[in-house]
């Protein structure tokens, strides 16, 4: 296992253009961020399975935030949370990919309005997760066949800076199957894949528009087919 710590201080230029009547944009102070992270990384099953757990905190200042399309102001924001991940092979046949994060992201200062202080930042859910697994058939009549499935989702999203409206939490499922074979001995490896995203055709809303607060609707059930030839 390896214990690690990381500190970063970053800057992002900021400029506000008031339109064609103002020839020179109004230059704002740059957005700055101080980030702190610490955690542990470990390998299991002879290095085939990787696990990581971390805690983090990010403090941002001079963050530009849009309300509608007219008002722009600067905020200070803080993000605190934990992140967990598990990636690799449990057995030679089974792959897993698990990721989860829990965070609180809120406004700590607002030069334009104090009724946003302490509120959840727009489009930043508290919990995000993804779970994926695949099983590879490696012998017998099904040799070369892989079946996979996964879940992903997030908790509710704030739509406006005052947190008067939230998008609901959601969970979507994906599934797939692929088959790898050689049409003839010594020939190229050919892989046929068929995937279904949003298997149960769930209606969900992953985010809202920052400028006009329009709501983004998630993709409906989608079927994907592909063929890959490796020479």
């Amino acid at each position: 296992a390896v214990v690690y710590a990381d500190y970063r201080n970053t800057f992002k230029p900021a400029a506000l253009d008031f339109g064609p009547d103002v020839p020179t944009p109004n230059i704002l102070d740059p957005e700055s961020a101080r980030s702190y992270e610490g955690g542990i990384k470990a390998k299991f099953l002879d290095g085939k399975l990787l696990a990581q757990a971390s805690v983090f905190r990010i403090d941002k200042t001079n963050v530009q935030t849009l309300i509608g399309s007219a008002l722009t102001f600067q905020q200070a924001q803080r993000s605190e949370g934990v992140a967990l991940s598990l990636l690799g092979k449990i057995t030679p046949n089974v792959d897993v990919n698990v990721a989860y994060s829990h965070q609180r992201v809120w406004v700590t200062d607002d030069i334009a309005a104090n009724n946003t202080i302490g509120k959840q930042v727009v489009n930043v859910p508290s919990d995000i997760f993804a779970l994926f697994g695949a099983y590879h058939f490696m012998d017998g009549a099904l040799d070369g066949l892989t079946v996979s499935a996964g879940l992903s989702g997030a908790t509710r999203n704030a739509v406006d800076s005052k947190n008067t409206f939230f998008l609901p939490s959601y969970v979507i499922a994906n599934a797939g199957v692929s088959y790898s074979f050689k049409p003839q001995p010594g020939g190229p490896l050919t892989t046929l894949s068929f995937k279904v995203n949003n298997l149960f055709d769930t209606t969900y809303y992953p985010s809202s528009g920052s400028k006009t607060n329009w709501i983004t609707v998630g993709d409906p059930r989608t079927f994907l087919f592909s063929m890959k030839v490796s020479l």
Side-chain angles (χ1 to χ4, degrees):
V2 177
V3 177
Y4 70 94
D6 181 72
Y7 168 77
R8 298 183 184 185
N9 193 356
T10 59
F11 298 90
K12 177 182 177 181
L16 174 61
D17 189 348
F18 286 101
D21 296 333
V22 181
T24 303
N26 182 29
I27 305 301
L28 304 176
D29 291 335
E31 176 183 312
S32 64
R34 296 177 181 268
S35 61
Y36 312 82
E37 182 179 359
I40 184 170
K41 299 178 181 180
K43 296 182 179 180
F44 303 95
L45 303 178
D46 296 325
K48 297 178 182 178
L49 189 64
L50 307 179
Q52 181 174 344
S54 63
V55 294
F56 60 87
R57 170 175 162 176
I58 304 173
D59 291 307
K60 292 184 177 181
T61 58
N62 297 323
V63 181
Q64 292 189 66
T65 306
L66 300 180
I67 301 297
S69 59
L71 178 61
T72 302
F73 56 93
Q74 294 170 288
Q75 290 181 340
Q77 300 173 356
R78 175 171 294 176
S79 171
E80 295 179 340
V82 297
L84 307 171
S85 66
L86 188 66
L87 174 65
K89 289 183 174 294
I90 297 179
T91 72
N93 301 83
V94 179
D95 295 340
V96 294
N97 189 345
V98 180
Y100 170 76
S101 66
H102 171 77
Q103 61 181 347
R104 183 188 174 208
V105 185
W106 74 99
V107 177
T108 57
D109 192 19
D110 191 332
I111 65 173
N114 59 15
N115 57 1
T116 63
I117 296 176
K119 302 298 184 180
Q120 180 178 331
V121 172
V122 173
N123 284 332
V124 186
S126 297
D127 298 272
I128 303 173
F129 78 92
L131 170 63
F132 174 82
Y135 184 86
H136 306 276
F137 293 89
M138 303 178 70
D139 52 28
L142 298 179
D143 183 24
L145 180 68
T146 298
V147 293
S148 60
L151 297 172
S152 62
T155 51
R156 65 179 193 168
N157 257 338
V159 172
D160 64 321
S161 59
K162 298 178 182 178
N163 291 182
T164 61
F165 180 60
F166 290 84
L167 299 177
S169 59
Y170 67 90
V171 177
I172 59 174
N174 304 317
V177 60
S178 66
Y179 181 61
S180 298
F181 63 99
K182 291 185 177 181
Q184 58 185 10
L189 180 66
T190 301
T191 301
L192 304 177
S193 299
F194 178 72
K195 297 180 180 180
V196 184
N197 293 335
N198 194 359
L199 180 64
F200 301 109
D201 203 20
T202 302
T203 300
Y204 66 102
Y205 310 95
S207 63
S208 60
S210 60
K211 292 185 177 181
T212 59
N213 285 343
W214 46 263
I215 305 301
T216 300
V217 181
D219 293 333
R221 182 190 294 121
T222 306
F223 300 95
L224 303 172
F225 176 79
S226 65
M227 181 176 68
K228 178 181 178 181
V229 178
S230 300
L231 301 177

